[in-house]
Amino acid sequence: MSRALRILVAAAALLGGVVSLAATENAQLARGTAITDPDLLRRLDQSDALTISRLLWPERNADVPLATDLMFSSLPQLKAIPPAIDAEFDRYVSRYKETYPGESIGVGEGFDVQLFDRANLKSRDTRFVLAGIVNRMDRAYVSEESCGEIRLIYRLTRFESRPDGGKTATRLPMTLNLVMKARDARQTDGNGRPINCAEIARRWLDNGDWQGLIGSRISPYDAMLDRIETNIQVSIAPKSALHDFRSDYLLKVFKYDAATKTFEESTLENQIDRDRILADDALRRDFRDWLLAPDHLREFDRGTVLIPEKFLAKAAVVPTPAGLDASALQPEFGMMQGEDKGEGKADPIFTDNDVVSALKQAAARGVDMQNVRSAAGFQRRLNDVTCAGCHQTRGIGGFHFPGVDWLADKPSNSTIVPASPHFFGDQLRRRDILTAFAAGKRPDFSRGFANRPQTRGSLELAGTEYQDGWGAHCSLQNAGSGTADKSFTSWTCAKGLTCQAAAASSRIGMCFIKTR
């Protein structure tokens, strides 16, 4: 195991222990922006109030959630999802066999690489269980009319009968997010007045508006549906002579088509199709010119850029852990100067001079860059603006919102932390946006890099693992050229911690206890 990977794994273990002791702090951070309480989620799931089948089939009279075999066969809206996932699996297996012909791949412990068992999506013993509800009105810049999104997060779970007549629940490595619009223009309050973004924000800040979700079944019932996002741990590969330990995740998005009343395969937001862009000279030039234009560069800096679909992919396979060194495991690798110099490789899309010139041009037009202030900052943002790069935050991938396992017989031995530090570290920014909405003000939708919250939450997060504690990313002031990189100078450690290199060539380190 490499030194960088050892540091990342140690940080993950430390963070897990620290966060587990901070349940009260977590609940306070998520107040008004997410519903993570296991008792409430249990009631909502077991009452069938917010199950997938109830939301997509409201006229159904049964009060029992659908198992996956019936869910995908009985709900016509979902018919395109299983074959699309099957096709991605087939492509994945074919590519893996081509890359590692000496390794076996399949379902079960007898294989070198163990695949997710797709039979779980056709089983009467599995279903998607409500794991959390997250307010994403901070994404209203995507569609101001809908006031952003509300995400209902479901975790695939297997139920097996016990000799005593009870059932054992085992969570499986797949999440399904049903993304709904926070508002439909036809919604009204009890007095017949249209509901605006300010009213929705106030409801969430008061106590979390899950009641509003149940009451939002206006006619037509599907007016609030936007898309489904799936995340599957497609495979696990133990360390071998060919590679380090690796776990791959498959990300897919299915956009709701109101005309056909089905979820159709779609591109992933900002998931740049690296290989296709690098292979097409015209596409390379178009992507470079589009992204470096001052207006787009400003949005890129703020984290609110929306890259045109012609540059995007319809799936992402995310290998983890990815580490901090530039490598093919990262979504933008090969696009920046200094990466992937192997024989026969194409020239980079973005040179350091391209980026520096674009930053100067933006500054001359009065654009104040908040995050991207160097070529290294541009590279980091190019990674973390993608679905895959965000998934690999701090080089460690997984489900950033697994939700508390409220079905476990002994919850104290199961997942008791509903989300990752990156999730909780972003809640202050999200609540700040809700507060602005509630006051009738224009919110600041900008966000910092995925692996470190913005400074606007620094006072509340100071000294915690979410900002500058164990495993937090920090700036190596003397890395490389010996000068501080302007994109990362604010990334410091808490008192008593020191910044240590986590990757040989990186400007970024991690915070650890000082050693004598």
Side-chain angles (χ1 to χ4, degrees):
M1 182 183 292
S2 67
R3 181 172 183 271
L5 183 54
R6 286 198 300 272
I7 291 176
L8 290 170
V9 172
L14 287 167
L15 283 169
V18 173
V19 176
S20 297
L21 298 175
T24 301
E25 182 180 73
N26 291 343
Q28 182 62 24
L29 286 174
R31 179 184 56 81
T33 58
I35 296 174
T36 63
D37 178 72
D39 291 331
L40 176 56
L41 293 169
R42 178 189 291 111
R43 293 198 301 271
L44 291 173
D45 183 90
Q46 294 182 344
S47 68
D48 199 31
L50 290 180
T51 61
I52 298 172
S53 56
R54 176 62 68 192
L55 291 166
L56 298 186
W57 191 0
E59 64 273 19
R60 178 172 173 261
N61 294 321
D63 58 1
V64 178
L66 287 177
T68 52
D69 62 335
L70 292 178
M71 188 183 85
F72 285 112
S73 62
S74 300
L75 299 178
Q77 302 98 319
L78 306 180
K79 65 180 182 181
I81 295 180
I85 290 176
D86 283 341
E88 294 295 346
F89 265 76
D90 292 342
R91 281 191 283 269
Y92 176 84
V93 171
S94 177
R95 286 194 300 266
Y96 203 96
K97 288 181 176 179
E98 182 178 345
T99 305
Y100 300 107
E103 290 194 337
S104 60
I105 181 170
V107 176
E109 296 183 358
F111 294 90
D112 297 322
V113 179
Q114 298 172 26
L115 285 175
F116 174 83
D117 189 355
R118 283 175 282 172
N120 289 314
L121 299 179
K122 302 174 184 178
S123 173
R124 66 180 63 182
D125 298 321
T126 61
R127 73 175 179 89
F128 287 95
V129 172
L130 184 65
I133 306 173
V134 180
N135 181 302
R136 293 307 307 270
M137 291 181 71
D138 62 293
R139 284 179 44 79
Y141 64 88
V142 177
S143 175
E144 294 192 20
E145 181 177 311
S146 64
C147 304
E149 307 162 353
I150 308 298
R151 298 186 181 186
L152 285 79
I153 302 176
Y154 300 89
R155 184 67 178 253
L156 185 61
T157 304
R158 172 175 290 280
F159 295 85
E160 296 176 303
S161 298
R162 298 196 305 256
D164 63 3
K167 285 186 176 293
T168 299
T170 303
R171 303 212 306 179
L172 302 175
M174 177 178 180
T175 60
L176 185 151
N177 301 343
L178 180 60
V179 183
M180 305 183 72
K181 301 172 186 175
R183 179 186 84 107
D184 181 80
R186 289 162 290 188
Q187 282 181 280
T188 59
D189 60 17
N191 297 315
R193 294 172 298 195
I195 295 177
N196 57 24
C197 299
E199 175 61 23
I200 294 173
R202 284 193 290 268
R203 291 179 180 182
W204 274 88
L205 289 170
D206 285 343
N207 59 7
D209 192 32
W210 61 268
Q211 297 96 333
L213 285 170
I214 297 175
S216 67
R217 297 187 196 126
I218 59 177
S219 180
Y221 74 91
D222 59 352
M224 305 289 285
L225 300 178
D226 186 77
R227 66 187 184 278
I228 282 175
E229 302 170 340
T230 61
N231 183 356
I232 304 173
Q233 187 184 51
V234 61
S235 74
I236 296 177
K239 180 178 174 62
S240 73
L242 300 176
H243 52 72
D244 284 336
F245 168 83
R246 177 168 160 176
S247 180
D248 287 354
Y249 294 81
L250 171 65
L251 310 182
K252 292 284 292 180
V253 170
F254 302 86
K255 189 78 174 175
Y256 187 70
D257 186 331
T260 63
K261 296 188 180 299
T262 57
F263 289 92
E264 302 293 343
E265 189 176 17
S266 176
T267 56
L268 281 68
E269 183 177 294
N270 290 347
Q271 181 62 39
I272 50 180
D273 194 336
R274 178 184 67 187
D275 294 340
R276 184 166 57 86
I277 295 173
L278 287 173
D280 186 323
D281 288 341
L283 208 57
R284 287 160 56 94
R285 289 192 299 272
D286 287 350
F287 183 52
R288 180 195 61 207
D289 295 346
W290 185 90
L291 190 54
L292 293 182
D295 289 345
H296 299 150
L297 191 61
R298 180 189 184 280
E299 294 169 349
F300 180 71
D301 170 73
R302 303 299 197 264
T304 58
V305 70
L306 295 173
I307 299 173
E309 284 196 8
K310 70 176 183 177
F311 301 120
L312 305 181
K314 287 190 174 182
V317 173
V318 190
T320 60
L324 300 178
D325 273 329
S327 74
L329 300 180
Q330 297 168 339
E332 63 75 35
F333 185 69
M335 291 189 168
M336 293 293 300
Q337 180 179 336
E339 299 176 329
D340 204 12
K341 292 183 178 179
E343 184 178 351
K345 298 296 183 181
D347 292 334
I349 297 176
F350 303 100
T351 67
D352 289 355
N353 286 337
D354 289 336
V355 175
V356 171
S357 296
L359 291 174
K360 288 180 178 178
Q361 184 181 5
R365 296 195 181 186
V367 177
D368 176 30
M369 304 299 283
Q370 298 177 354
N371 302 288
V372 179
R373 298 176 178 177
S374 63
F378 182 91
Q379 177 188 12
R380 184 163 293 268
R381 179 61 100 190
L382 192 57
N383 263 320
D384 80 13
V385 78
T386 66
C387 297
C390 183
H391 194 279
Q392 294 171 331
T393 301
R394 292 189 186 173
I396 302 173
F399 302 96
H400 288 301
F401 192 102
V404 175
D405 187 3
W406 51 260
L407 280 162
D409 290 334
K410 297 180 179 180
S412 62
N413 296 332
S414 65
T415 305
I416 61 174
V417 181
S420 70
H422 323 110
F423 172 87
F424 284 112
D426 195 40
Q427 296 312 299
L428 291 171
R429 181 190 69 88
R430 298 183 190 182
R431 187 158 56 250
D432 180 57
I433 290 172
L434 263 67
T435 301
F437 266 128
K441 299 178 181 178
R442 173 72 180 178
D444 174 7
F445 292 111
S446 66
R447 64 176 177 86
F449 291 108
N451 44 352
R452 194 169 177 97
Q454 282 182 309
T455 54
R456 63 172 154 173
S458 58
L459 291 178
E460 295 90 340
L461 296 174
T464 72
E465 66 274 13
Y466 307 120
Q467 176 80 3
D468 51 16
W470 289 101
H473 280 171
C474 50
S475 174
L476 291 171
Q477 300 296 315
N478 297 316
S481 65
T483 59
D485 192 299
K486 293 181 180 179
S487 294
F488 313 112
T489 50
S490 64
W491 294 21
T492 58
C493 292
K495 184 178 180 180
L497 301 179
T498 183
C499 190
Q500 301 178 26
S505 60
S506 178
R507 293 172 172 83
I508 304 304
M510 302 183 79
C511 300
F512 290 96
I513 291 178
K514 291 181 179 179
T515 56
R516 295 179 183 274

